Amino acid sequence: MAVRYYNDDCTYRLPDKRRTAAWLKEVAEAEGYILGDVNYIFCSAKRLLEMNRQYLHHDYYTDVITFDYSDRRGTKIVSGDVFIDVETVADNAREYGATKLQEMRRVVVHGVLHLCGQNDKTPRTNKQMHRKEDKYLRAWVEPATEE
């Protein structure tokens, strides 16, 4: 079971990959699941728009699309592919007054929360998703810097 990171039509590099994987494992466990194989694929806005049209029949840009291969009822192992549009994440960071990395972490954990069964399609479930994102983002602790 592993978290892996790939690029498709972009050159983005997520910092702290090992720590991010450990954090995501803790998130899944807090949600009552075991983190299985999760692939993060960072891509361009154009690429994710193509996928949104092809697989979801939506004709608009989005920051993340999650393909869920989880077995939440049997083994409680969550697995899937999380495609992230790095351009839309950067735009959203500017819009919401966050850094690009803060917004990227929000989208990364958003993908795992989807794998754990959290929806965001209604106003109520969208609020729940944001509360959980905020909770787990607060749990991300920056490493101490030596002075």
Side-chain angles (χ1 to χ4, degrees), residues 22 36 80 83 93 104 107-108 111 119 141 144:
F83 288 82
M104 183 58 76
V107 175
V108 165
N119 266 319
V141 179

Side-chain angles (χ1 to χ4, degrees), residues 45-57:
K46 178 183 172 196
R47 177 72 177 112
L48 205 59
L49 178 60
E50 290 168 359
M51 293 180 71
N52 209 10
R53 288 174 176 155
Q54 180 179 358
Y55 297 107
L56 303 177
H57 310 292

Side-chain angles (χ1 to χ4, degrees), residues 83-101:
F83 288 82
I84 298 176
D85 166 2
V86 298
E87 297 165 53
T88 298
V89 168
D91 291 344
N92 289 346
R94 281 189 294 278
E95 182 178 333
Y96 303 134
T99 68
K100 289 179 196 176
L101 184 54

